[in-house]
Amino acid sequence: MSRPIHARIDLAALQHNLHMARRATSARVMAVVKANGYGHGLLQAADALRDADGFALLDVRDALQLREAGFRQPILLLEGFFSRDELPLLAEYELTSVIHNQSQLDWLEAYPRRNGLSVWLKLNSGMNRLGFASAEFPAVLEKVKAHRAVRDVTLMTHFAQADEAAGVEPQHEVFRQVAGAQRLPCSLANSAALLRYPATHGDWVRPGIMLYGSSPFADVAAETLGLRPVMTLSSAIISIRQLKAGDAVGYGATFRADRPMRIGTVACGYADGYPRHAPTGTPILVEGQRTRLLGRVSMDMLAVDLSDVPAAKIGSRVVLWGEGMAVDEVARAAGTLSYELLCALAPRVPLSF
């Protein structure tokens, strides 16, 4: 028999979360499926999200997979093309590319084809990651619009604090001042802006994390937003032992029992994608009952407190995150984000759909 750890992907939940995104906007929905569909499987996630108006990802090879699987919607390369050699592929497979720097403009200028490319031109409105500065953006836009190879242009930016109290207004105002007068399609809203700032929706919204059942907000639960968990990572108890007061658990002896305790060992560790830095107290479900992680996470195992879970036995089901145990709560306890947990799921963990 194989190790008991596996991740179940609820494709119906993906479809539901896409529906929730659609309910929140009248804009077209560009479903973000980068990072192997946030760890959920690119082709499986895209198939569940087939009703989306388009898909966004990073790698041209992933885009070709979608095309070859029969997806005909617009496919957006969020970081654009990485060399001039990719431009013919973009034209052949009708892929849409973000343009965000001068090198891409230079490569585009050397491309001889006419009227073959759809591009999204990115404005750096304050995140200072990708995009053209406000001062240069108008001239770049005119150059791109006039280019012989460009068929159509969409304007875009990305918000740095849509999920925080600071909100989007400073960046939104930059976008309005620099690009607002243009009669061109635009795209600004990620999951957080889609849910909280309707004025930013424009023509295309780009939901990502909300599609996978996680809240983009630290202070609002996914369930409150009507979202359903898509990935449930589960395993089983493979060992049980009794501790006496003073006994240590795991590498570094970072946890010591302060009383007699019953603990279990779970077949899951950081090589499976569970965060090594998750501290004692991180919530876990055993036999459907909340309990806690104990000590340091190992490569292949972790320890769990069974003192108040009398039904637990060898083989008992353990939910690390997902149904009944929100990935956001686990991530918060571990000092990270649900994005990291979902995307870090290791290839050795079997997926079931």
Side-chain angles (χ1 to χ4, degrees), residues 122-134 137 157 174:
K122 189 162 194 175
L123 170 69
N124 173 23
S125 59
M127 190 168 187
N128 292 312
R129 195 173 63 175
L130 300 180
F132 293 95
S134 297
F137 190 85
T157 195
V174 170

Side-chain angles (χ1 to χ4, degrees), residues 78-341:
L78 287 166
E79 293 179 359
F81 44 97
F82 297 97
S83 75
R84 69 185 69 204
D85 296 335
E86 289 183 343
L87 282 165
L89 281 176
L90 269 58
E92 180 181 355
Y93 288 90
E94 296 187 351
L95 305 178
T96 303
S97 177
V98 170
I99 293 180
H100 59 82
N101 66 38
Q102 184 60 47
S103 293
Q104 291 172 327
L105 283 179
D106 294 341
W107 296 331
L108 182 65
E109 185 60 33
Y111 183 60
R113 180 166 172 168
R114 293 183 176 276
N115 197 35
L117 300 176
S118 293
V119 302
W120 286 32
L121 190 63
K122 189 162 194 175
L123 170 69
N124 173 23
S125 59
M127 190 168 187
N128 292 312
R129 195 173 63 175
L130 300 180
F132 293 95
S134 297
E136 62 182 335
F137 190 85
V140 171
L141 174 58
E142 291 307 311
K143 186 174 183 179
V144 170
K145 285 166 58 179
H147 196 283
R148 63 185 177 277
V150 174
R151 181 173 64 238
D152 54 72
V153 180
T154 296
L155 308 181
M156 73 177 299
T157 195
H158 193 65
F159 294 127
Q161 294 179 285
D163 57 332
E164 299 176 2
V168 302
E169 185 52 33
Q171 284 189 257
H172 194 196
E173 178 60 22
V174 170
F175 187 87
R176 286 194 297 260
Q177 290 182 3
V178 175
Q182 298 289 331
R183 294 187 176 181
L184 291 172
C186 63
S187 176
L188 298 85
N190 55 7
S191 291
L194 189 163
L195 292 170
R196 187 166 281 179
Y197 301 106
T200 68
H201 288 185
D203 299 277
W204 286 93
V205 292
R206 308 188 304 271
I209 194 65
M210 69 174 293
L211 297 177
Y212 305 95
S214 173
S215 173
F217 308 112
D219 58 347
V220 182
E223 185 178 10
T224 302
L225 297 170
L227 304 176
R228 297 178 185 170
V230 177
M231 178 192 294
T232 296
L233 178 64
S234 64
S235 189
I237 300 290
I238 60 172
S239 173
I240 293 177
R241 67 185 62 250
Q242 299 288 332
L243 301 183
K244 61 183 183 297
D247 283 348
V249 176
Y251 285 119
T254 61
F255 175 82
R256 289 187 180 273
D258 61 359
R259 65 189 188 282
M261 296 181 66
R262 181 172 180 252
I263 69 166
T265 299
V266 181
C268 177
Y270 60 78
D272 299 298
Y274 196 86
R276 182 180 181 274
H277 52 275
T280 291
T282 299
I284 293 178
L285 283 185
V286 179
E287 292 284 355
Q289 185 172 336
R290 287 177 67 97
T291 184
R292 59 177 180 148
L293 173 74
L294 298 176
R296 186 174 293 168
V297 175
S298 302
M299 180 182 289
D300 309 303
M301 291 170 278
L302 55 82
V304 63
D305 188 354
L306 300 180
S307 301
D308 297 322
V309 192
K313 59 187 181 298
I314 302 295
S316 284
R317 186 170 187 255
V318 177
V319 174
L320 289 311
W321 64 69
E323 192 66 41
M325 176 55 61
V327 67
D328 298 314
E329 186 177 357
V330 177
R332 188 160 50 248
T336 185
L337 301 171
S338 59
Y339 300 75
E340 182 179 4
L341 299 189

